[in-house]
Structures are given as structure tokens and as C-alpha cells.
Amino acid sequence: MNKIDLSVDLNGLKLKNPITVASGTFGFGREFIDYIDLNSLGGIMVKGLTLEERKGNPMPRVAETPMGMLNSVGLQNPGVKYFIKEEMPFLKQYDTKIIGNINGNTIEEYCEIADILSKTSIDSLELNISCPNVKEGGVSFGRDPDMVYKVTKAVREHTDKHLIVKLSPNVTDIKEIAMAAEKAGADCISLINTLIGMAIDINKEVTVLARGMGGLSGPAIKPVALRMVYEVFNVVSIPIIGMGGIMNYEDAIEFFLAGAHAISIGTGNLINPRIAIEVLEGIGQHLAEKGYRSIEGIKGKVKVPSK
Ligand SMILES: Cc1cc2nc3c(=O)[nH]c(=O)nc-3n(C[C@H](O)[C@H](O)[C@H](O)COP(=O)(O)O)c2cc1C
């Protein structure tokens, strides 16, 4: 029988399978243990962490759209030190990789959080330079290749941990941003974060979200995410974790074909808490049917007919 190896090596971070759950959609894992065995996940990207606790943005901060959701949660989290003390011991009971999603207002803040997490047994750091829901920092770093280079390089010099840089889709040319991250020493790239969007209540004539705009996620953004993964795959040599609108195993396979080495499920977790397991099973079956023996085999294999 054709034995399939679902493990992936993301340039030093070894996952037992290519399924991760996306930051901000899986909390610190506790809410999901009644639905899935966390041991079956390749990795967990924890909710975005900041130096100090953040209460997040005013309500309403989530809105449904026909093909996804808008959120302006604003990085609500208990702060990195609380996470290390109260949440990491729980997560570390499980045989899955824990990835810390870090967020700062300044380069110094990113470095300080990286320093703090580097002293722990966390498996990887994901640098979120793409959050559209904070006033300063976040996406403003992720839009400019020079800033991406500077913040990535600074954090690289502060940590020996595996380093993922998470890119924003709210840019003109994703390729130059990805190349800047690679040049500055990123081990891996994850993309995409949410696309900036808006919804309006026509009776009250006000925006649905209290802050006006928010990040669009879910099925609506999948074509954009796939295109960006494909573009980035063609210009960098470090591995890519693809995400954006993955709702079933077929979506995940599309991401592998476009060039992703692993995938992350976000909004899908909020609709079906068992989705990660279902996607994992489907991927295994699809690879077997197609005669692939590993993710490496299918990665980047999409053909463009007129090329
Ligand atoms: C409610 C919510 C909160 C999020 N919080 C974070 C966060 O803290 N850090 C981060 O890097 N991305 C965050 N994201 C973005 C997701 O990790 C992911 O990149 C994005 O939603 C696209 O994937 P999806 O379409 O599968 O949801 C958040 C997304 C949602 C929907």
C-alpha cells in the first residue's frame, strides 16, 4: 500500500501534519478540547499577543457578510506574561507545536516580546506585521518592504526560535514584501491575514462595526489568498503556510498546489470546531487517490495552461 507521510518540515519547525489553526480563531485552545483532540493538530497559532494586556476595540466588532466575516477585535489578549504563566502549561500538555503570534507598536516592542517568549519552550514565533485592527503598528509595518526588513531583522537578532513572518494582503505587491522578510532572516512565511473591509446598516446609516472598518476573512478571501501564495512561492525559497477561507479539504489541496507547505484554518473553526480534523482526513485520502506520498510531492504543482 502507498504509505503517505503527512509530516512537514517548515525549515526547522517539524509538524506531524500540515494542519495548523490560525491566530485569533482558536483562542489558547481551551474552547476546542470538547470537540477535537489537540494532539491531532500539526500546530496551534495562539491568539495575537502584546506586551501588556489589551481590552480590544469597542463593540460591535464582528459582522457577518455573505461569504465570510468582518472583525475588528483589536488584538484583545491578556498579555504575553499572563500567556506564559497561565496558558502555555495547558497547551504544552499536547503533542502539537505551539506558535506564538506576536504584535507590537514599535520594533522595540516586537523584540521585547520575542525576548520574553524565547526564554520559554514555545516552538515558533509568528510575527504579525499585518493586523488591520490596531491604530498603530500592525499593518503599517507590513505594507512597506523596508519596514518588513527592519522589523524582521531586529526580531531575528533577538531570538533563536523558528521565525514565521505573517504577511498582509493589503498591499500592492506581495512579492517584494515576502522577499524582504526572507532576506531579513525569516524561516517561513504565513499568509494571508484579513483584507480590510466595511459593512453599512442602511436604516441607521452607520457602519456595522464600531470602528468603521475591519478585517474580512472566510471563503470570500480564498481566491486572493491563493493568488498571493502562488506569487510568493515563485519568488522565495522558504516554506509558506497558506491560509484564507479554507473551509474543507479541497480548499486545502488548492493551497498546496499553489505552493503552500502547510495550511492554517481560521474562520472555519468558528463555524465547525471539528473542521481541522475533517480537513486532515480529506487531505490524506486525496493524496492517496492521486498517488502522492507526501505534501512535498503535491506542493506547487499547479499548472497554468497558457504558460
Ligand atoms: C476573529 C479573528 C481574530 C483574528 N486575530 C488574529 C490575531 O490575533 N493575529 C493574527 O495574526 N491574525 C488574526 N486573525 C487573522 C487569521 O489568523 C487569518 O489570517 C485570517 O482570518 C484568514 O484566514 P481565514 O479566512 O481562514 O479566517 C484573526 C481573524 C479573525 C477572524
Side-chain angles (χ1 to χ4, degrees):
M1 214 192 116
N2 192 359
K3 178 106 180 65
I4 297 165
D5 178 11
L6 282 179
S7 68
V8 290
D9 185 343
L10 303 177
N11 204 5
L13 179 71
K14 294 192 171 71
L15 308 185
K16 64 168 80 160
N17 65 58
I19 313 293
T20 66
V21 283
S23 178
T25 64
F26 207 77
F28 299 118
R30 290 184 195 271
E31 300 90 330
F32 285 81
I33 56 172
D34 291 338
Y35 302 96
I36 61 170
D37 178 5
L38 302 190
N39 293 301
S40 53
L41 297 171
I44 297 175
M45 278 119 161
V46 301
K47 172 70 195 156
L49 299 167
T50 50
L51 211 44
E52 306 298 336
E53 177 188 4
R54 274 181 74 107
K55 302 261 182 247
N57 292 328
M59 313 266 186
R61 52 192 196 183
V62 208
E64 269 196 56
T65 74
M67 286 278 283
M69 65 181 273
L70 279 169
N71 92 81
S72 68
V73 171
L75 293 174
Q76 179 180 4
N77 80 98
V80 65
K81 289 183 183 146
Y82 180 96
F83 164 74
I84 292 169
K85 195 159 169 275
E86 305 295 335
E87 303 291 352
M88 255 194 59
F90 166 77
L91 284 166
K92 275 287 170 187
Q93 297 173 78
Y94 296 95
D95 177 23
T96 183
K97 299 292 164 152
I98 307 303
I99 300 162
N101 180 274
I102 66 179
N103 300 267
N105 291 322
T106 59
I107 291 183
E108 292 70 31
E109 255 180 54
Y110 277 102
C111 292
E112 204 175 332
I113 304 171
D115 270 340
I116 295 169
L117 283 168
S118 295
K119 296 189 186 92
T120 73
S121 59
I122 201 147
D123 298 293
S124 172
L125 302 181
E126 182 182 49
L127 210 58
N128 181 13
I129 50 169
S130 51
C131 184
N133 298 323
V134 285
K135 274 198 191 123
E136 56 296 293
V139 76
S140 52
F141 282 104
R143 276 195 183 128
D144 171 11
D146 290 340
M147 282 305 285
V148 172
Y149 181 83
K150 277 192 194 128
V151 68
T152 307
K153 185 134 179 61
V155 173
R156 177 74 290 169
E157 281 161 9
H158 275 257
T159 185
D160 293 328
K161 294 280 184 193
H162 180 266
L163 183 62
I164 303 169
V165 176
K166 182 166 182 178
L167 306 189
S168 167
N170 302 304
V171 297
T172 312
D173 184 358
I174 194 82
K175 300 188 291 300
E176 59 178 13
I177 306 280
M179 288 190 284
E182 179 179 42
K183 194 166 156 220
D187 295 308
C188 182
I189 281 173
S190 60
L191 76 160
I192 60 173
N193 207 314
T194 52
L195 276 154
I196 299 172
M198 193 173 185
I200 296 172
D201 180 325
I202 60 162
N203 292 315
K204 294 188 194 141
E205 300 182 348
V206 294
T207 58
V208 177
L209 298 177
R211 275 193 79 230
M213 296 176 200
L216 180 65
S217 63
I221 71 170
K222 192 187 75 174
V224 177
L226 276 173
R227 185 264 294 176
M228 290 190 161
V229 167
Y230 177 77
E231 284 189 316
V232 170
F233 177 68
N234 284 295
V235 295
V236 302
S237 52
I238 51 178
I240 298 168
I241 304 173
M243 70 189 93
I246 297 179
M247 305 303 283
N248 50 47
Y249 84 85
E250 291 96 332
D251 293 337
I253 297 289
E254 282 190 79
F255 275 85
F256 294 129
L257 287 167
H261 205 133
I263 56 109
S264 204
I265 298 172
T267 304
N269 295 306
L270 308 176
I271 298 163
N272 169 11
R274 287 190 49 76
I275 184 174
I277 306 302
E278 292 168 13
V279 170
L280 177 60
E281 286 166 5
I283 288 171
Q285 274 167 22
H286 182 86
L287 293 190
E289 278 163 29
K290 288 281 183 184
Y292 289 113
R293 303 177 76 133
S294 66
I295 297 294
E296 196 66 54
I298 191 172
K299 191 180 79 178
K301 282 290 183 302
V302 68
K303 297 181 272 302
V304 180
S306 69
K307 256 190 160 180

